[in-house]
């Protein structure tokens, strides 16, 4: 599980930061990639990575501001051009469907795959399968903006092979059943329970990716115990008034959320073009005084999310 | 007068060519820039040039395929962000207004300047002022696609100051009147006609920029005696069947239009990513066997359009 930052700028593209997009790479976990926001030029950024557009099977939009959205039609077209055939699911605030459908209709685009739209209604779980659960809450921005919490379910414990061998239980298909925690009867008549031969389950990872927002309680709720919190950082420590007026956060507000929510690592993105090289470092240092494990990311940075 | 190529690729962006956009820089002529097509990422390309988005006062879209269109909403937003206040006029096939308005509404974008849309109806002149005339004709593509012919009006002849001095006509405001070709009465009672003191008018320049198209008669009509013809070149010499099936042109078809229409210079663009470095050179050489003054352009190439 990795996060790859495709665009880390705010508002308009700059020479050094493209507008917002981040890929959650779940290649080992489900051989797919989820994209969070698609600012203009995201498909061009992807050309400079190893990401294959056809592996993107879910796109989550946090809010419909152009710097998080305008790359979507082009990305959809390229995914088609490059032979994507599997369904793509697009989650986002109401209006996302109309935007995409208008762009596709006006440009006479015929995609090689179906799109399913999930326009966000009641807060809560919007996706769940055997391995992952995704939920969202609304944040505090000028327009509807949400944060997503991606929870990996815990991995079942390892099968304790040594213990089985000590009991002279021969390997074979029965090991598979035991690994799944099932009860089995052996050829010699013994009944055993897989649960007795499994190590402790390994907790899954939690990644929280927030849209643009003022400091707000839902950010804290979404970030609870996350392995990684991705938070905007449009303004610096001394600009909390500006941040409030423009419905954004400062680096230090983000850090305090990270601290209160006991996250393992805070990633600051959505960096204004006003903060060039050294000043971006300064943003990081200021935040670190509140929450040590903070990093300001740049375009193409990759953040590994290890199991605990 | 210069053409600056912001994107010279076809269909989808590649590592070396972005999708289509070309700027006609009329800085000396009217202190403004006209953009022809706005593929995704055009605003990012502009960041690497000296072009100021607020100087763009007209955008002409040749057709609504995504590779010519999807950069428009982002560019409009950036022009606003960078303080553009003057009206912007957008010309294009029917649907352009709905596309832009949907993108602006859904993203809650409030631009700092007014947009006027001119959706293309009857073929012919769509803009004319004292210095320029722009007309369009429809071409032959899978969807409606047009070509634009930009005609600069002829420059009035220079005032022949030496001749006036020989006749002992003193300089002063009267020179201005004579320069405009007016008749004036001098203080000494002599009546003279400005027309008698003007050199030959200097013909204006003609630039023809075509959308994607098969070889078609209207391309030829639009290109008549142009100083520069900008033509797509999606396919190579031996691929005329493919070109026909996909509603595109080969390099050699473009060259034959240039030759028949007696243009001064042919610029080939809309180059497929299949044609890398040397092969793009080959496209140029093939076309040159039919029309010598042919150039395959790359992103950021600037073509000067001199007076004759
Ligand atoms: Zn934003
Ligand atoms: Zn095209």
């Amino acid at each position: 599980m990795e996060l790859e930052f495709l665009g880390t700028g705010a508002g308009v593209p700059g020479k050094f930061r493209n507008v917002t997009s981040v890929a959650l790479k779940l290649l080992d976990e489900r051989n797919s990639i989820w994209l969070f926001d698609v600012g203009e030029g995201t498909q061009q950024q992807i050309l400079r990575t190893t990401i294959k557009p056809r592996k993107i099977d879910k796109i989550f939009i946090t809010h419909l501001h152009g710097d998080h959205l305008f790359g979507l039609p082009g990305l959809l077209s390229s995914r088609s051009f490059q032979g994507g055939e599997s369904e793509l699911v697009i989650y986002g605030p109401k209006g996302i469907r109309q935007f995409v459908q208008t762009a596709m209709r006006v440009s006479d685009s015929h995609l090689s795959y179906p799109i399913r739209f999930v326009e966000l209604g009641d807060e809560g779980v919007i996706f769940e399968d055997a391995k992952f659960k995704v939920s969202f809450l609304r944040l505090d921005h000028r327009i509807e903006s949400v944060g997503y919490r991606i929870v990996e379910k815990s991995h079942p414990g390892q099968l304790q092979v040594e213990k089985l061998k000590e009991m002279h239980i021969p390997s074979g298909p029965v090991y598979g059943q035991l690994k799944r925690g099932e009860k089995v009867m052996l050829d010699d008549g013994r009944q055993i329970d897989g649960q007795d031969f499994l190590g402790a389950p390994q907790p899954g990872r939690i990644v929280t990716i927030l849209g643009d927002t003022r400091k707000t309680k839902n950010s804290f709720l979404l970030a609870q115990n996350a392995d990684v919190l991705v938070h905007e950082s449009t303004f610096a420590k001394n600009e909390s008034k500006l941040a409030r007026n423009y419905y954004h956060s400062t680096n230090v507000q983000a850090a305090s959320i990270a601290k209160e929510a006991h996250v393992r690592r805070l990633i600051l993105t959505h960096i204004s073009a006003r903060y060039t090289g050294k000043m971006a470092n300064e943003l990081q240092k200021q935040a670190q005084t509140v929450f040590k494990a903070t990093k300001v990311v740049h375009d193409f940075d990759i953040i590994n999310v290890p199991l605990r």
Side-chain angles (χ1 to χ4, degrees), chain A:
Chain A
M1 187 186 287
E2 286 177 336
L3 287 163
E4 183 160 1
F5 289 84
L6 300 169
T8 60
V12 293
K15 263 189 190 165
F16 304 109
R17 296 181 183 274
N18 200 40
V19 280
T20 299
S21 183
V22 49
L24 177 63
K25 295 164 84 174
L26 303 170
L27 295 172
D28 291 342
E29 294 78 9
R30 57 197 312 275
N31 194 27
S32 83
I33 295 168
W34 294 353
L35 219 54
F36 291 78
D37 289 336
V38 192
E40 181 181 353
T42 296
Q43 61 164 327
Q44 282 93 338
Q45 298 286 89
I46 285 177
L47 286 174
R48 297 174 57 187
T49 71
T50 58
I51 293 173
K52 290 184 182 64
R54 65 183 155 72
K55 292 229 168 166
I56 299 168
D57 63 350
K58 292 183 184 297
I59 295 176
F60 299 85
I61 302 293
T62 63
H63 64 299
L64 301 182
H65 276 156
D67 58 325
H68 299 248
L69 177 66
F70 287 163
L72 186 50
L75 179 76
L76 298 180
S77 302
S78 287
R79 185 178 190 267
S80 180
F81 186 82
Q82 284 153 25
E85 293 187 342
S86 58
E87 182 189 68
L88 177 73
V89 189
I90 301 177
Y91 303 82
K94 190 160 165 39
I96 184 74
R97 178 203 297 267
Q98 197 198 7
F99 171 71
V100 170
Q101 289 183 342
T102 300
M104 295 295 108
R105 189 181 61 251
V106 165
S107 62
D108 195 42
S109 300
H110 302 280
L111 302 179
S112 57
Y113 56 87
I115 297 180
R116 185 157 60 85
F117 292 93
V118 178
E119 293 196 326
L120 302 175
D122 292 341
E123 293 180 323
V125 176
I126 44 164
F127 171 73
E128 181 161 13
D129 69 3
K131 289 187 174 168
F132 286 94
K133 187 159 96 171
V134 182
S135 56
F136 81 96
L137 294 174
R138 295 202 163 79
L139 306 174
D140 183 12
H141 196 44
R142 191 187 295 275
I143 60 171
E144 179 178 331
S145 178
V146 307
Y148 294 101
R149 177 177 170 92
I150 303 98
V151 178
E152 183 189 29
K153 298 189 175 175
S154 56
H155 297 260
Q158 297 280 326
L159 187 63
Q160 294 167 311
V161 175
E162 287 309 312
K163 196 167 158 189
L164 290 168
K165 290 212 166 133
E166 275 167 31
M167 293 179 62
H168 302 289
I169 298 171
S171 65
V174 73
Y175 272 45
Q177 290 171 278
L178 293 170
K179 196 175 173 182
R180 289 193 295 274
E182 297 171 8
K183 288 178 183 159
V184 296
M185 183 183 284
L186 301 175
D187 292 346
D188 61 15
R190 280 187 288 172
Q191 287 213 17
I192 59 171
D193 186 345
Q195 298 291 351
D196 299 335
F197 297 90
L198 290 177
Q202 195 167 24
R205 290 155 284 191
I206 301 172
V207 173
T208 300
I209 300 174
L210 304 184
D212 294 1
T213 187
R214 285 175 177 165
K215 189 175 178 190
T216 185
K217 180 153 185 239
N218 278 351
S219 297
F220 167 76
L221 296 176
L222 287 163
Q224 282 291 321
N225 302 309
D227 291 81
V228 178
L229 166 61
V230 178
H231 199 297
E232 70 132 296
S233 174
T234 313
F235 290 98
K237 186 178 177 178
N238 57 346
E239 300 175 315
S240 56
K241 219 165 187 173
L242 275 171
R244 190 166 172 76
N245 288 344
Y246 288 98
Y247 294 85
H248 283 291
S249 297
T250 69
N251 54 347
V252 167
Q253 289 171 332
S256 73
I257 294 277
K259 188 179 178 184
E260 293 162 33
H262 302 287
V263 312
R264 289 191 89 188
R265 198 163 179 197
L266 171 64
I267 302 297
L268 296 180
T269 181
H270 205 267
I271 308 299
S272 163
R274 293 174 299 138
Y275 296 106
T276 50
K278 277 191 181 170
M279 290 165 78
N281 264 345
E282 194 51 40
L283 282 181
Q284 181 171 303
K285 275 189 201 154
Q286 286 177 353
Q288 284 174 339
T289 63
V290 174
F291 184 77
K292 189 84 195 68
T294 299
K295 183 181 169 67
V296 169
V297 280
H298 297 89
D299 289 14
F300 304 113
D301 276 357
I302 293 178
I303 302 292
N304 186 32
V305 189
L307 282 162
R308 298 205 180 206

